[in-house]
């Protein structure tokens, strides 16, 4: 019985220490590093730096809670599930993503896009959940 606990503990430790990639369907050119993590009560807080290479994208996904993001470098093109442009966020801009809204983030520029993102999620929730392409041509 102790072996499954050790395996679970090792997997959790690897998740917290190793750089993470965005969880999306399908993503390309995205890397992420967790900078800080804390759970208070029933809410998990994760601060993460995400880099999207030129031409890269997160893939279609959603979150169980609210995200607060800041663009450190580059420009993020953000689209909703109805394929409409939700926003184009340049260096120095901040924006919020609401829970349960399917979206995609893309870097249509020629330089890396760097975001700092604070995830405020129900404790134990994944940072993001895959969603199928809603039929958009990108």
């Amino acid at each position: 019985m102790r072996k499954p606990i050790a395996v679970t503990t090792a997997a959790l430790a690897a998740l917290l220490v190793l750089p993470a990639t965005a969880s999306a369907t399908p993503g390309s050119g995205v890397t992420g590093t967790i900078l800080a993590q804390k759970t208070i009560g029933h809410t998990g807080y994760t601060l993460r730096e995400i880099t999207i290479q030129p031409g890269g994208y997160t893939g279609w996904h959603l979150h169980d809670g609210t995200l607060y993001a800041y663009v450190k470098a580059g420009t993020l093109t953000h689209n909703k599930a109805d394929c409409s442009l939700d926003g184009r966020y340049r260096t120095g801009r901040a924006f919020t993503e609401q829970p349960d809204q399917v979206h995609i983030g893309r870097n249509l520029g020629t330089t890396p896009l760097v975001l700092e993102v604070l995830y405020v999620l129900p404790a134990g929730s994944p940072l993001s959940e895959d969603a199928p392409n809603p039929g958009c041509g990108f």
Side-chain angles (χ1 to χ4, degrees):
M1 184 175 280
R2 293 177 59 80
K3 190 171 187 175
I5 293 172
V7 170
T8 301
T9 302
L12 180 59
L15 176 66
L16 295 177
V17 173
L18 297 175
T21 57
S23 177
T25 314
S28 177
V30 181
T31 57
T33 302
I34 293 175
L35 304 175
Q37 233 172 4
K38 179 87 173 170
T39 299
I40 302 172
H42 298 290
T43 305
Y45 300 88
T46 300
L47 181 61
R48 187 173 179 216
E49 184 173 273
I50 298 169
T51 301
I52 304 176
Q53 295 302 319
Y57 49 91
T58 62
W60 294 97
H61 65 281
L62 60 96
H63 310 280
D64 292 334
T66 303
L67 273 65
Y68 302 92
Y70 175 76
V71 182
K72 289 178 65 175
T75 300
L76 174 70
T77 299
H78 197 274
N79 295 88
K80 299 188 298 186
D82 66 2
C83 307
S84 67
L85 180 65
D86 191 19
R88 188 167 285 120
Y89 305 102
R90 291 177 170 74
T91 301
R93 293 280 315 271
F95 63 95
T96 303
E97 292 182 352
Q98 298 302 315
D100 303 318
Q101 294 183 353
V102 174
H103 60 277
I104 189 170
R106 302 180 294 146
N107 180 358
L108 303 179
T110 58
T111 61
L113 164 65
V114 182
L115 304 169
E116 276 199 7
V117 181
L118 176 63
Y119 298 74
V120 181
L121 306 169
S125 293
L127 296 181
S128 65
E129 296 180 42
D130 294 348
N133 184 329
C136 303
F138 45 82

